[in-house]
Amino acid sequence: MRGFASLILGLGLAHAAAPHYSSPSRPISQDLESSTEGGNANDPVGKAERKLHGRFLHITDLHPDPFYKRHSSTNDDDVCHRGSGTAGLYGASATECDSPFALVNATFKWVEENLKDSVDFVIWTGDSARHDNDEKIPRKEKQVLDLNRYVVDKLVEVFGKSDNINDTDPTNDLIIPIVPTFGNNDILPHNVFEQGPNEWTRKYLHIWRHMIPEEQRHSFERGGWFFVEVIPNQLAVFSLNTLYFFDNNAAVDGCSDSSEPGYEHFEWLRIQLQFLRERGMKAILMGHVPPARTKNKYSWDETCWQRYTLWMRQYRDVVVGSLYGHMNLDHFMLQDSDEVDINMKTGFLNQDKIRDHSDDINIQAGASYLQDLQSLWSNTPGPPPDLLEVESDNRNVVLAAGAIRTSNKKNKKKRKKSKKEKYFEKIGGEWGERYSLALISGSVIPEYFPSLRVIEYNTSGINNVVASSSVNLKRKQYTSLSNKGGAPSLGLTMQRPSRFDKLKKHRKPKKPRKPHFTVPEPPSSSSPPGPAYSPQTFSWLGYTQYLANLTSIYDEAFSDSLETGDQSVTNSRTSTNEWRAADTERADVFQQTTKTHPRPFRYEIEYKTFNDSSFSLPDLTVSSYLKLAWRIGNYESTDMLKASRSLGQHLEEEEDDDDDGCAFEDDVSTTKKGHKKHKKQKKKHRKRKRRKDAEEAWIAFVQRAFIGSRDPDDIWDRFGIAKGDVGVTNGVQLDDGLEVEETGGEP
């Protein structure tokens, strides 16, 4: 077997020599302006302010594989390493195969040509080595490290400076910050990351030397965590080492015990977020493994999930949002702070949980996971109808100052609460502060289709951000806990120990014990909602999701040269199952027609949240996603609808029979009957509209989770979605002209 180094050299990808940087399309002086304050040492871009575009790139899970062979077998035992089959030049969708170098190279070339000059920083959420999925070619430490060096070299080729050849400072080599993090496949054995400092933190400290600020090197070597001020003195990105939270990491045990690295990690995060709060800064959290927590899927140790959710609650005025990879599915998660349960007697977080040792999310597991999310969101509080139509632009918000609405205190009489007020109480106030949000992007590895994401954020008043502590407006409170009991006020519902059912008169009640860890202080009562909740500076406005439709690219190659009578080869644009099938004749035709025909590689827009009617997200705030989760949770499968329709029809017939048995001749009774019928029809109309909205959101959610790679027939079969439920006749229409065509059957 040929060695890894010879493979790299044979492909012209050796990184021993310094990479050649092409000159930027415009002078760097146009993008960099000298700082009047002399810059900040934590700025990896040469201690200078940059011209901001209000966009950043999220890229994750590249999984380059040096043993990938074009036209090899895609069977699980071969994983595109040997045999003969349909493995394409840029990868094999819906298989266990990793990414060929051709896909990684083409991805970074596309980023250089299309995104390089329009993003402010890059969030890179790990897994830049191949999976350990081939017993005949086991992974080795040198392979894992060399693959990460290869990806770093590609990033430096795209975002490296061209005029600092003699500069000896490695943190001054990039035109924009790039923030990396550990993936569970970036180490050996995979998933197992011991308490630091360890060999992996030391080795990656050198590999990522371009990206880790000098003053953060000690923190990184200690535990693989650090942060970068991507906008000096204003916005920081925190790279979390989620492998210490990962339930599959057998080398650690949660986040409750002070001897565990997970405990230390959260203590570090608490201190740093508090510093940012005092400095008036905001933070983005990013990591590899997301905090998945459903009926059948637990990614994190429960004690770590509890600590994370509590931290997100307490620092909701600081954290802009959180981003993760790992699962290859494009979706989102909501963390409910009402589920934080601190045992005040022991000081430890509740450790009751279910374990899921499954690491991979294949199509079958992905379908089950998405249905678990849908079931979980069916319990999400539902907004009243008038709030469903509210756009962010119409909210009574002062963006720069962060002013918020205040209640009318003139009318102090007790009155019945409106539906809107009841809804606000359920979600933790009008901004939904009971919840926090995590966004998970699709991956470059063609588990489904290769995918990238560009997120846009609010840059208004970027040079004059007002610290939240300086705002004198009062925050509307929806919590009842106080700080009188001796324990820190958490601003959320927790189980407190009983002070004894019956106390003797001469004995004073005992104060609840403080937890055995420092609970972060909540936001000041005078601070406005944070950027994750209220549109303001640094709030996420929306994102553009890109995909590389490999089936379309391969089919276009066929259509130019294929002269066979088998039209099924080109009829399906996204039928990834066709490419996985062991069809010898198709494989032979594929090899013959593509060996001499280069195929243009491209990423195209799958959808944008800005003009998307399916998700209807006015922005990426928590309240917007709460409404989307509620819509998805309200979807009913075809079988459920049949049952409900049958019951509804039966009840309606009984009601009609009762009406027929009564003969009212006076006008008053007729008017009442007509009014009742009108209300009934109006209620039916609302139900139909709500069902249609739920179906549209659910279908889009599923299709986009699999990066547009699943056939409509497959979606319908797996998720119980009836054909034509939302007016689909010839296919599922995606945004920006991407249409998924049906492969057979009548709608």
Side-chain angles (χ1 to χ4, degrees):
M1 181 180 65
R2 193 165 48 164
F4 176 81
S6 62
L7 279 171
I8 295 289
L9 289 170
L11 290 169
L13 299 169
H15 54 267
H20 173 71
Y21 305 135
S22 58
S23 298
S25 57
R26 55 184 175 182
I28 294 180
S29 59
Q30 293 183 12
D31 284 335
L32 301 178
E33 298 177 1
S34 299
S35 173
T36 57
E37 299 178 358
N40 185 294
N42 201 20
D43 179 16
V45 190
K47 291 78 178 172
E49 294 182 358
R50 304 178 308 277
K51 178 182 177 182
L52 297 177
H53 303 279
R55 288 182 293 273
F56 65 89
L57 169 65
H58 181 196
I59 186 169
T60 190
D61 292 77
L62 288 97
H63 289 290
D65 185 358
F67 304 104
Y68 183 98
K69 291 183 179 180
R70 187 180 175 190
H71 307 314
S72 61
S73 171
T74 60
N75 292 335
D76 292 351
D77 294 334
D78 297 323
V79 290
C80 298
H81 288 169
R82 54 193 160 267
S84 179
T86 58
L89 174 63
Y90 301 113
S93 299
T95 70
E96 297 298 319
C97 300
D98 283 325
S99 302
F101 280 131
L103 171 61
V104 178
N105 293 338
T107 294
F108 282 110
K109 181 181 178 182
W110 187 89
V111 169
E112 182 174 17
E113 294 174 350
N114 295 273
L115 300 178
K116 173 184 176 181
D117 296 323
S118 62
V119 294
D120 301 326
F121 53 92
V122 177
I123 287 180
W124 168 31
T125 48
D127 263 10
S128 298
R130 72 179 183 95
H131 287 95
D132 197 7
N133 56 359
D134 190 348
E135 294 181 355
K136 296 181 180 180
I137 312 178
R139 297 198 316 166
K140 297 180 181 179
E141 180 180 311
K142 186 177 184 301
Q143 294 175 3
V144 172
L145 296 173
D146 281 344
L147 287 170
N148 270 273
R149 292 188 183 101
Y150 158 60
V151 175
V152 168
D153 285 349
K154 301 306 296 183
L155 285 163
V156 173
E157 286 179 14
V158 176
F159 297 105
K161 291 183 178 180
S162 61
D163 63 346
N164 65 335
I165 298 175
N166 297 322
D167 188 352
T168 59
D169 181 6
T171 63
N172 192 31
D173 292 342
L174 302 171
I175 61 173
I176 61 173
I178 300 174
V179 189
T181 194
F182 280 110
N184 62 306
N185 288 286
D186 294 327
I187 55 178
L188 197 70
H190 73 286
N191 298 341
V192 180
F193 198 95
E194 296 181 349
Q195 187 167 8
N198 56 47
E199 61 171 324
W200 297 107
T201 60
R202 287 188 285 266
K203 289 175 179 178
Y204 277 97
L205 183 61
H206 178 72
I207 294 173
W208 294 340
R209 62 192 180 277
H210 307 286
M211 308 166 186
I212 302 175
E214 182 65 32
E215 61 272 24
Q216 294 292 321
R217 293 171 68 85
H218 176 74
S219 294
F220 181 83
E221 187 173 5
R222 173 69 182 173
W225 52 70
F226 70 103
F227 70 89
V228 179
E229 292 189 21
V230 293
I231 303 178
N233 302 311
Q234 300 188 65
L235 178 66
V237 173
F238 281 74
S239 178
L240 306 180
N241 187 357
T242 56
L243 300 187
Y244 285 144
F245 315 150
F246 195 22
D247 202 33
N248 289 358
N249 183 1
V252 297
D253 188 21
C255 299
S256 278
D257 197 296
S258 59
S259 64
E260 289 295 327
Y263 180 98
E264 182 182 351
H265 195 345
F266 276 107
E267 283 300 288
W268 170 85
L269 182 61
R270 176 184 62 81
I271 294 170
Q272 301 306 324
L273 290 178
Q274 183 62 36
F275 283 157
L276 260 63
R277 174 184 280 166
E278 293 170 0
R279 294 173 60 191
M281 293 181 60
K282 305 301 178 185
I284 295 173
L285 306 187
M286 52 86 80
H288 180 66
V289 181
R293 187 176 184 262
T294 65
K295 180 181 179 180
N296 298 301
K297 182 68 179 177
Y298 260 71
S299 292
W300 287 14
D301 183 278
E302 175 67 4
T303 61
C304 300
W305 185 93
Q306 294 267 335
R307 192 74 58 98
Y308 172 80
T309 304
L310 176 58
W311 262 230
M312 293 290 285
R313 168 72 179 184
Q314 300 303 86
Y315 290 110
R316 61 191 183 273
D317 58 325
V318 177
V319 177
V320 178
S322 57
L323 303 168
Y324 300 91
H326 179 64
M327 298 183 73
N328 304 324
L329 295 168
D330 170 6
H331 66 296
F332 65 95
M333 302 172 184
L334 292 168
Q335 294 80 48
D336 185 356
S337 63
D338 275 7
E339 296 187 25
V340 172
D341 175 20
I342 298 180
N343 186 322
M344 302 297 282
K345 290 183 179 180
T346 64
F348 294 120
L349 295 163
N350 186 2
Q351 300 189 57
D352 295 336
K353 62 184 178 182
I354 13 182
R355 287 179 176 266
D356 175 23
H357 294 287
S358 174
D359 182 29
D360 296 326
I361 294 290
N362 54 29
I363 295 173
Q364 290 75 18
S368 175
Y369 171 70
L370 295 179
Q371 288 172 325
D372 280 352
L373 284 177
Q374 193 265 344
S375 176
L376 180 66
W377 293 338
S378 65
N379 298 318
T380 303
D386 57 334
L387 279 183
L388 288 174
E389 306 298 330
V390 173
E391 299 290 336
S392 60
D393 292 341
N394 296 330
R395 294 175 178 174
N396 186 15
V397 180
V398 179
L399 299 181
I404 61 174
R405 287 189 295 240
T406 56
S407 59
N408 184 3
K409 297 182 179 180
K410 293 182 179 179
N411 186 8
K412 296 184 179 180
K413 294 182 180 180
K414 291 185 178 180
R415 58 180 178 79
K416 186 178 180 181
K417 293 179 181 179
S418 66
K419 291 182 179 180
K420 185 184 296 186
E421 289 173 324
K422 291 179 180 179
Y423 172 67
F424 287 157
E425 284 189 350
K426 290 178 181 179
I427 66 172
E430 61 183 298
W431 308 105
E433 292 175 299
R434 166 182 162 184
Y435 297 88
S436 58
L437 172 69
L439 299 183
I440 297 86
S441 179
S443 307
V444 172
I445 180 179
E447 177 82 14
Y448 308 112
F449 280 149
S451 183
L452 302 169
R453 176 174 290 179
V454 174
I455 298 177
E456 299 189 22
Y457 63 96
N458 192 332
T459 59
S460 62
I462 203 83
N463 295 318
N464 189 27
V465 179
V466 179
S468 58
S469 59
S470 66
V471 180
N472 295 321
L473 295 176
K474 291 289 184 180
R475 168 187 289 274
K476 194 173 182 179
Q477 298 293 327
Y478 288 87
T479 55
S480 58
L481 295 180
S482 66
N483 205 24
K484 296 179 181 179
S489 175
L490 302 180
L492 44 85
T493 303
M494 301 184 306
Q495 294 182 355
R496 291 178 178 268
S498 172
R499 295 186 178 181
F500 305 105
D501 296 331
K502 295 181 179 180
L503 294 171
K504 294 182 179 180
K505 294 182 179 180
H506 65 275
R507 184 180 298 178
K508 294 182 179 180
K510 289 185 178 181
K511 297 180 179 179
R513 295 182 183 179
K514 294 183 179 180
H516 293 173
F517 63 91
T518 303
V519 177
E521 288 296 324
S524 167
S525 60
S526 63
S527 66
Y533 300 91
S534 167
Q536 58 192 266
T537 305
F538 296 124
S539 292
W540 292 347
L541 305 175
Y543 63 81
T544 301
Q545 193 71 30
Y546 295 93
L547 64 77
N549 192 322
L550 297 186
T551 309
S552 175
I553 293 172
Y554 294 157
D555 279 350
E556 287 175 9
F558 282 125
S559 62
D560 293 337
S561 57
L562 189 61
E563 296 180 357
T564 69
D566 184 10
Q567 295 300 318
S568 65
V569 173
T570 57
N571 280 346
S572 174
R573 186 180 185 193
T574 58
S575 180
T576 52
N577 292 331
E578 292 285 340
W579 294 98
R580 192 173 187 180
D583 186 340
T584 304
E585 182 179 355
R586 181 184 176 93
D588 291 341
V589 172
F590 176 75
Q591 294 185 36
Q592 293 171 9
T593 57
T594 59
K595 281 183 178 179
T596 58
H597 294 79
R599 287 153 287 181
F601 179 88
R602 65 186 181 277
Y603 280 91
E604 52 189 318
I605 295 175
E606 181 189 6
Y607 67 97
K608 295 180 179 181
T609 61
F610 304 96
N611 56 0
D612 172 44
S613 60
S614 297
F615 279 1
S616 300
L617 292 170
D619 48 40
L620 304 186
T621 57
V622 171
S623 59
S624 295
Y625 271 96
L626 277 172
K627 294 173 187 176
L628 175 59
W630 176 79
R631 289 173 59 206
I632 294 173
N634 270 269
Y635 170 75
E636 294 178 294
S637 66
T638 305
D639 293 338
M640 293 172 63
L641 283 172
K642 287 180 180 178
S644 62
R645 285 170 178 170
S646 177
L647 178 61
Q649 184 178 2
H650 176 69
L651 294 175
E652 186 175 344
E653 288 175 354
E654 287 186 349
E655 186 174 336
D656 290 341
D657 292 340
D658 293 340
D659 291 342
D660 292 340
C662 301
F664 296 103
E665 296 181 0
D666 58 78
D667 294 338
V668 176
S669 299
T670 303
T671 303
K672 289 183 177 180
K673 185 178 180 181
H675 180 66
K676 182 179 180 181
K677 185 176 181 181
H678 175 72
K679 287 184 65 177
K680 185 178 179 181
Q681 290 175 345
K682 190 175 180 180
K683 187 176 181 181
K684 282 185 177 181
H685 176 73
R686 285 199 303 267
K687 285 185 177 181
R688 283 195 298 267
K689 186 177 185 303
R690 190 174 73 176
R691 174 178 164 262
K692 182 178 178 180
D693 290 343
E695 288 170 344
E696 184 175 4
W698 173 239
I699 291 173
F701 179 69
V702 171
Q703 185 73 0
R704 292 168 180 180
F706 293 115
I707 323 298
S709 65
R710 308 312 307 148
D711 297 332
D713 284 338
D714 189 35
I715 296 292
W716 289 321
D717 292 342
R718 290 183 183 276
F719 295 93
I721 299 173
K723 298 181 181 181
D725 264 351
V726 288
V728 177
T729 55
N730 294 320
V732 177
Q733 182 71 38
L734 300 179
D735 292 334
D736 298 281
L738 285 180
E739 184 175 354
V740 180
E741 305 216 274
E742 294 188 36
T743 56
E746 294 295 327

